[in-house]
Every structure is written in C-alpha cells, then in structure tokens.
Amino acid sequence: MRWPWSRSKQLPLLHVAIDEGTGPTVVLVHGIASSTNAFENVIPLLTPQHRVIALDLLGFGASPSPAGATYTIEEHVEHLEHTLAALGIERCIIVGHSLGSLIAARYAATHADEVRGLVLVSPPVYLPPESFGDPVERTAMGLYLRAYEFLRNNKRFTMRNAAVLARLSPIRDVLEVSERNWRAFTLSLEHVIETQTAVSDIAAVSAPVQVVYGTLDPFLMPGGLRIIEQMRHVSVHRVAGGDHVIRRRMARVVATAVASVSAHAADLR
C-alpha cells in the first residue's frame, strides 16, 4: 500500500549509512538490535556491480525513534517506502537479515512493481505453535515465544547478555540493546517477529526469492523454513556450520544469491 503524500511527507527519513557503487540497486535491511554493520562482509562484494544502499531501521542505528512509534511491520515498511522514494529508487533488489527479512518480505509483497527480487538471510519464519503437527516442533515453537517474552519483560537481563554477545561477535557494533533502543527492540520483537505473517507474505511475492541460512543458526525454526522452501519461486542456500551472523563465508553466498536475482531480472528485460 502506498501512503498518501500528505502523510508520508511528514515521516522522518531512515538513516542511509551506505550509498555506493553503480548498477542495479540493492537495498540492505538489517536485523533487530543491529545496524548496517551487519552487512560489512557483504557490501564490498556487491558494490563492484551494484548500487548498494544500506539503511538503519526505524529506532535502530542512527535512524530516528519517534515518540509515538509502535514498531509494527506496517510502520517499518512505511518508513522504508518513504526513504526509498526520497532516494528516487523505483526498482531494487532487497536483502533482509533476520528481522529485516520479515520487513523485506512484507515490502516485496505489497510493492510488487518496485522489487526485482528478494534475498532473505537467516529468516526467523515462525508460526503459531498449534499449527505444527509434530509435538517436538510445537513445543520448540512455544519455547521460542516464551523466551522472547522473557527478554521483553526482563530489561536488565537482556541488556547485560546482549552486551556480552556483542563483545564476542566477529563484527564490530553488530548488536546493541540499550536504553536508547529498548522500546524499538521490544516492540519490534513483539509486533514483527512474535506475531508475524512471513509465510503468507513470502507466498505473495511475485519476484524470485533466495533464502540463505546457516545450518547452526539457533534462531531458525525448521518447520517454518520447510514451508517456504516448498514454494516454487523460492531457492534455498544452506551454509554448513553457519550461524545467525553474516560471516565472510555466508556473505559470499549472499552475494551469489544477489547475482542470481540480478541476472534473472536482466533476462526479463
């Protein structure tokens, strides 16, 4: 859905951290409690053949945190749309990581004419526990949701452990949960990840979809991935031994997926 200009012109723009290279446009959308730093291993692989735009999501990185924001997926998509329009982007490939993959899928589902292809990296595709026939998967999904609820309700615990994980990460400043972004973190977790429509959004995308994920990613739900893997327009790349972070090996796979989408779009012209 496009918002009337009378509304969208009042929205603050998202922070654009990177706008480099020439060629087909690739937009990078990071995950929760992160920033464009999540793509530091991907960007150098893309800029030789693409215009690469990396932006911070609403409430994260250097982007604004409006006082009245509720951080629903609709709100994230609205700000993404407004920022891309301000940059004059009419057609692009979108790469979303984690939370960003859910936002990218909704954007692609509602902006079919503007998205040449979609690359979803480490997508946390979740379903209500009762939708799983396998009791093990049903229990696992329930545990994920209870864990996220615990994180939202225990600020001190969450901030302390996020700081530990950030120090251990191979990518600098890739994770931040602080007083500054606590509201964006908890509401995005609740409104986008925990209560999501990723399966129906991905099914509604008309462009090709490439999915990249690590086999050791602790945040992925195999049952949800199996559903999207069976969709005819979805191709899957599994990175053996990869986790949730886009390390160099996974970055190369992401770049290959982008090149595949770009080549497909060129063939259609």
Side-chain angles (χ1 to χ4, degrees):
M1 176 196 306
R2 279 199 166 278
W3 295 93
W5 177 247
S6 60
R7 172 177 170 81
S8 64
K9 70 179 181 180
Q10 300 171 10
L11 296 176
L13 295 171
L14 300 177
H15 173 247
V16 178
I18 300 289
D19 188 349
E20 300 176 358
T22 58
T25 302
V26 179
V27 176
L28 307 179
V29 185
H30 66 77
I32 196 166
S34 191
S35 69
T36 55
N37 289 348
F39 294 104
E40 73 168 24
N41 291 322
V42 176
I43 292 170
L45 303 179
L46 298 182
T47 50
Q49 290 85 32
H50 300 87
R51 177 187 179 187
V52 178
I53 294 173
L55 44 79
D56 291 329
L57 286 171
L58 188 70
F60 297 105
S63 280
S65 304
T70 54
Y71 299 98
T72 61
I73 193 165
E74 292 82 7
E75 197 170 57
H76 279 296
V77 167
E78 182 183 10
H79 282 78
L80 176 60
E81 175 191 52
H82 180 48
T83 303
L84 295 183
L87 291 170
I89 306 302
E90 296 180 351
R91 293 275 285 168
C92 65
I93 297 167
I94 303 185
V95 180
H97 177 240
S98 192
L99 168 78
S101 68
L102 306 182
I103 296 168
R106 173 64 65 86
Y107 185 91
T110 54
H111 297 71
D113 294 338
E114 299 166 26
V115 178
R116 304 173 66 192
L118 197 58
V119 179
L120 308 179
V121 187
S122 307
V125 179
Y126 298 157
L127 296 164
E130 60 272 15
S131 65
F132 291 97
D134 185 333
V136 174
E137 291 188 336
R138 186 164 57 246
T139 299
M141 188 70 260
L143 290 174
Y144 272 106
L145 296 179
R146 285 197 290 275
Y148 292 145
E149 182 180 10
F150 178 85
L151 293 177
R152 288 190 284 106
N153 293 327
N154 291 271
K155 180 192 287 189
R156 186 175 179 183
F157 171 89
T158 302
M159 287 186 179
R160 183 171 63 247
N161 283 275
V164 172
L165 291 174
R167 288 195 294 271
L168 296 174
S169 174
I171 298 177
R172 179 181 55 84
D173 297 332
V174 75
L175 178 66
E176 177 197 357
V177 181
S178 63
E179 291 289 350
R180 188 188 68 83
N181 69 5
W182 177 252
R183 191 165 181 272
F185 169 75
T186 56
L187 291 179
S188 295
L189 182 59
E190 181 180 10
H191 294 161
V192 183
I193 294 179
E194 295 176 60
T195 53
Q196 62 172 265
T197 56
V199 170
S200 59
D201 288 337
I202 295 169
V205 174
S206 56
V209 178
Q210 303 266 336
V211 175
V212 179
Y213 67 88
T215 57
L216 299 182
D217 191 330
F219 298 104
L220 301 191
M221 190 66 200
L225 286 174
R226 278 199 304 274
I227 293 174
I228 63 172
E229 287 174 355
Q230 294 169 7
M231 297 179 186
R232 293 181 61 183
H233 63 311
V234 174
S235 301
V236 178
H237 309 266
R238 299 174 187 85
V239 181
D243 55 15
H244 202 67
V245 177
I246 309 177
R247 302 170 191 267
R248 290 182 180 177
R249 185 150 57 100
M250 183 177 285
R252 291 193 292 270
V253 179
V254 171
T256 299
V258 170
S260 176
V261 170
S262 188
H264 176 82
D267 289 342
L268 295 179
R269 289 204 297 268

